[in-house]
Amino acid sequence: MKKLVLSLSMVALFLGSCSSDNEEITTQPIPTGTISGDITTAKTYPLGNYTIQGTVKIKNGGSLTIDAGSTITATLADGTADALLVENGGKLFLNGTAALPIVFTEASKTAGSWGGIIMFGDAPIVGANGVTTATSEDGNNLPYGGANTTHNGGSLKYVRVEYAGKKLTDNTSELNGFSFYSVGSGTVLENLVAYKGADDGFEFYGGTVSAKNLVSYGNFDDSFDWQDGWRGQENTNWYAYQVGTGNYGMEIEAKSVNNAFGPKVTNITLTRGTGTVTEGGSSAAEYDAIQFKKEGNGEFSNVLISGYTTAGSTAVRIQDAATNTNQVSGGKIKLSNVKINDGTSQFAGVGTAFTVTFPVGNYSLSTTTTGAALTSGSWSIIDGLDLLKK
């Protein structure tokens, strides 16, 4: 009994000591501050709430790391052209998690408020007339293109960009949610969300990079768009939901160059919400799920299409005779295991100048297609709305 009393006394003494120590523990405030200017060295921002001011440029040799769970807010009202731009040779590390995504947003929640994330590399492109370098169309007028297929611009995982698509000072150059100029295969792009921007959700300008687990929700122009001979080979799980205003689910072109290659994308869901209209009402024909034009091509499998029911719309549109001859008849466009809901027609051309006929084996339907396979989490939930449940 004496031993038990002694043991209990020691426990009480220990707990009392811990209680005293705990009173001295304080919660550290979440860091805040402004991200601005050029980044020329390695710079890291810990988990916090930050403001982005102006076009932040990560220069050649510089790097920017922002920790998981951080929020970076642009402000339309300050009059600056806010954007995060990675120049060729710079690196961006945004490695969030499903529970702690890295969120770029805008204070007023207005589409077109800022420029989103823009990355440049020196991977190959094939531009108009077969050029291997070009100047960006985003208003920054930066060169892109090269021969570095494995260019590495960093790592973007579980990153959400909201309310991008700003027009720059020329009032015509629109920026997307994510813009990738000749980005190479060494760059990691996974679990990215482009939400309610005023232009495209994702656009690729040439390059060899691949992207996995993409969500394009409520963007005014196209959900996914590419040109300049983009050739990513390991793309999978692309999900698009167009609501309110939206044009094509995917707009595919190659600057009128008949390339011997094209991208590959597996597991695609393209959905158009009821009542969605085309951008500005001026492009009445831009309501198809997938459009191929200017020699665009590629291989696409496990494709689920719903809601593209506007009179005259189709699941797959071939926009011009050259694309039909060289890409469709030439066997460079392949769509397999396509499931079309809502009675939308399978494919069509424009007018009566040519007839679209896919070679045997290059277009197939399936009743069991599932489309994109994505897992919900904080990364896909905005203001209580789970984007993947639409």
Side-chain angles (χ1 to χ4, degrees):
M1 178 63 71
K2 290 181 180 179
K3 291 181 180 180
L4 176 60
V5 171
L6 178 60
S7 298
L8 291 175
S9 298
M10 293 178 67
V11 170
L13 178 62
F14 174 75
L15 292 176
S17 175
C18 288
S19 176
S20 176
D21 290 344
N22 287 341
E23 290 175 0
E24 298 176 4
I25 296 176
T26 59
T27 302
Q28 296 298 318
I30 294 178
T32 60
T34 300
I35 304 175
S36 62
D38 293 346
I39 296 175
T40 58
T41 59
K43 196 162 189 177
T44 297
Y45 286 83
L47 168 62
N49 296 322
Y50 303 101
T51 298
I52 186 169
Q53 188 171 52
T55 300
V56 175
K57 296 182 179 180
I58 305 172
K59 310 293 283 187
N60 183 10
S63 68
L64 173 64
T65 300
I66 302 177
D67 284 353
S70 296
T71 297
I72 301 89
T73 303
T75 306
L76 175 63
D78 66 11
T80 61
D82 301 332
L84 179 56
L85 187 151
V86 188
E87 294 189 3
N88 182 30
K91 292 186 183 296
L92 177 62
F93 299 102
L94 303 174
N95 292 316
T97 67
L100 293 172
I102 299 172
V103 178
F104 290 80
T105 190
E106 194 277 326
S108 69
K109 299 186 177 182
T110 302
S113 295
W114 73 296
I117 295 177
I118 311 162
M119 182 178 289
F120 286 82
D122 55 356
I125 72 165
V126 180
N129 300 313
V131 300
T132 56
T133 59
T135 302
S136 65
E137 66 175 38
D138 60 356
N140 291 298
N141 300 319
L142 292 175
Y144 65 102
N148 182 13
T149 59
T150 59
H151 157 264
N152 182 350
S155 175
L156 279 62
K157 296 182 178 180
Y158 292 101
V159 179
R160 192 165 73 230
V161 168
E162 304 173 357
Y163 312 113
K166 184 178 181 66
K167 289 185 178 181
L168 296 185
T169 52
D170 62 4
N171 205 37
T172 59
S173 299
E174 292 178 318
L175 300 170
N176 308 295
F178 294 85
S179 303
F180 301 109
Y181 284 91
S182 59
V183 174
S185 62
T187 308
V188 176
L189 305 177
E190 297 179 1
N191 296 89
L192 308 180
V193 177
Y195 178 78
K196 290 192 175 180
D199 200 52
D200 301 326
F202 298 85
E203 185 155 7
F204 300 88
Y205 301 84
T208 56
V209 70
S210 295
K212 301 176 180 179
N213 307 333
L214 303 186
V215 177
S216 181
Y217 188 101
N219 294 292
F220 285 8
D221 195 357
D222 310 310
S223 297
F224 305 101
D225 191 352
W226 63 86
Q227 55 185 290
D228 293 317
W230 174 60
R231 63 192 83 179
Q233 297 294 295
E234 299 179 2
N235 306 280
T236 189
N237 292 327
W238 286 16
Y239 176 92
Y241 187 83
Q242 296 179 285
V243 60
T245 301
N247 294 335
Y248 299 112
M250 297 198 303
E251 184 175 38
I252 302 167
E253 68 161 283
K255 291 289 179 67
S256 298
V257 178
N258 183 13
N259 294 313
F261 57 81
K264 295 180 181 179
V265 189
T266 64
N267 305 332
I268 304 166
T269 295
L270 304 174
T271 304
R272 192 174 183 87
T274 303
T276 301
V277 298
T278 54
E279 186 179 21
S282 61
S283 303
E286 294 186 5
Y287 41 49
D288 304 310
I290 305 173
Q291 182 214 48
F292 293 91
K293 68 178 182 180
K294 297 182 179 180
E295 306 279 12
N297 63 20
E299 297 183 21
F300 311 90
S301 61
N302 197 31
V303 184
L304 180 62
I305 296 173
S306 304
Y308 293 83
T309 56
T310 302
S313 67
T314 186
V316 178
R317 176 80 63 186
I318 308 302
Q319 194 70 21
D320 55 84
T323 301
N324 188 54
T325 298
N326 297 325
Q327 308 307 321
V328 177
S329 300
K332 297 178 183 179
I333 297 176
K334 298 179 181 180
L335 298 114
S336 59
N337 297 324
V338 178
K339 182 179 180 181
I340 305 170
N341 293 324
D342 310 321
T344 303
S345 68
Q346 294 181 37
F347 50 81
V350 175
T352 58
F354 59 90
T355 301
V356 178
T357 304
F358 282 88
V360 175
N362 280 14
Y363 186 100
S364 65
L365 298 175
S366 171
T367 59
T368 59
T369 292
T370 55
L374 296 166
T375 302
S376 296
S378 295
W379 74 287
S380 65
I381 298 175
I382 301 177
D383 297 331
L385 173 66
D386 189 340
L387 307 184
L388 302 181
K389 297 295 179 65
K390 299 299 290 183

